[in-house]
Amino acid sequence: MDSTALRQLLGGRRLSPAQRRIARYLLEHPQEAAFLGTVDLAERVGVSQASVTRFAFALGFETFPEFRAAVRSLVLTPTATAPAEELNEIQLLVETEIRNLRSLRDGLADPGPLREAAEALAASRPLPVMGLRVSAPLAHLFGYFAAKVHLDVRVLDFPGSLMEDGLTRAVDAGASWALAFALPRYPREMRDALVFAKRVGLRTVLVTDQPINPLTEHADLVLTAPVSSHFAFDSHAASTALCSALLHAMLAALPKERQASLDAFEAMASQREVFVAD
């Protein structure tokens, strides 16, 4: 089964809570769901038959049978065989990340969702960037580079009331969007932060590993990159690449004078000899 293609089919869409439940069922039970009708699928998930039909429409299909045929073709696609050459244990672990990067690349064949998120973030001033626990370094990486071209980037890596204070101050200063990084395992405090962000009027872009997880229903836009769990600790190569892609797209969405500020920084850094010469 081509699970990567199935995730791509479901990713980058604005789904209602009922539709997210259907998507999660498809990801968890693809072999069964691919052969169910609207009534049976609705019963399995616990939603109405109309919700199943609207779900197919939301994914761009004119009819549910057309959607089911597409899912069936993905489910029945044989998995690619492993490379013939012998790889040692560590190489095989790295190979999982190579597959994740390929999955990310293929998922960006339609750059529309990425560009939509980048334009929204570029227009928000200030721009709060949230990341807790294992996701905090990625939030800081994004914030470090974004601050070179965006006038007001605020990285929030503290949970609870301090996170809420930071979001509230950002809204008071004019923020309209926030960016959140949430990689497994998903902290309860990040879910609470997303809920609070919506309460105070912020819309959110969520960078995570799956199109359907416990946090995606609380975000307005979701961007995904798979995480490798084969190492002793999770590896985030694809997530980091997605972070860089989002920065690249955000730079393109900023006004020309802000784009030019990147060249100004490089000139100043050279003048100050900030970096050791090659």
Side-chain angles (χ1 to χ4, degrees):
M1 183 192 71
D2 191 345
S3 59
T4 296
L6 183 57
R7 287 196 299 270
Q8 291 169 1
L9 175 65
L10 300 175
R13 309 285 181 171
R14 293 182 177 179
L15 302 177
S16 69
Q19 291 167 351
R20 291 190 185 102
R21 290 169 60 188
I22 299 169
R24 182 175 296 175
Y25 185 85
L26 282 170
L27 289 171
E28 294 174 351
H29 308 280
Q31 301 284 353
E32 177 184 357
F35 296 92
L36 295 177
T38 55
V39 174
D40 291 332
L41 182 55
E43 289 180 353
R44 298 287 200 287
V45 180
V47 299
S48 67
Q49 183 181 4
S51 293
V52 174
T53 302
R54 287 194 292 268
F55 176 71
F57 293 158
L59 296 182
F61 296 93
E62 295 185 0
T63 65
F64 178 81
E66 180 184 346
F67 162 74
R68 182 174 57 187
V71 173
R72 192 173 296 176
S73 68
L74 296 177
V75 169
L76 297 178
T77 298
T79 303
T81 57
E85 62 269 19
E86 291 293 328
L87 299 177
N88 63 41
E89 178 186 0
I90 301 302
Q91 287 178 305
L92 288 171
L93 292 175
V94 173
E95 183 68 21
T96 66
E97 278 292 28
I98 293 173
R99 289 198 296 270
N100 284 343
L101 287 167
R102 289 197 185 106
S103 175
L104 174 64
R105 177 201 63 191
D106 295 343
L108 293 173
D110 174 13
L114 179 74
R115 288 174 179 165
E116 181 182 1
E119 290 170 1
L121 298 176
S124 181
R125 188 183 302 174
L127 173 58
V129 180
M130 300 181 285
L132 298 175
R133 295 182 180 267
V134 75
S135 302
L138 204 53
H140 280 280
L141 178 68
F142 183 94
Y144 173 80
F145 286 114
K148 295 181 183 298
V149 291
H150 193 290
L151 289 174
D152 192 351
V153 180
R154 306 181 182 184
V155 177
L156 308 177
D157 62 355
F158 30 77
S161 60
L162 289 176
M163 174 75 77
E164 294 175 356
D165 289 345
L167 292 172
T168 300
R169 286 194 294 269
V171 170
D172 291 343
S176 54
W177 283 81
L179 172 62
F181 290 93
L183 306 178
R185 302 163 68 186
Y186 317 112
R188 171 179 50 80
E189 295 95 339
M190 180 54 74
R191 180 200 62 194
D192 296 344
L194 289 167
V195 171
F196 183 83
K198 182 172 294 186
R199 187 188 311 164
V200 296
L202 282 170
R203 302 184 71 186
T204 53
V205 174
L206 174 64
V207 174
T208 187
D209 66 313
Q210 294 284 351
I212 307 296
N213 67 41
L215 302 184
T216 54
E217 65 181 282
H218 302 295
D220 295 282
L221 295 175
V222 178
L223 302 174
T224 62
V227 168
S228 175
S229 58
H230 293 78
F231 295 87
F233 299 97
D234 286 350
S235 180
H236 302 146
S239 306
T240 303
L242 177 57
C243 176
S244 296
L246 182 57
L247 282 162
H248 181 88
M250 192 182 80
L251 176 62
L254 285 167
K256 296 296 183 183
E257 62 270 18
R258 298 313 312 157
Q259 297 181 32
S261 69
L262 188 58
D263 293 330
F265 168 82
E266 292 297 337
M268 179 62 69
S270 176
Q271 179 182 344
R272 294 164 50 205
E273 298 182 349
V274 172
F275 305 108
V276 177
D278 293 338

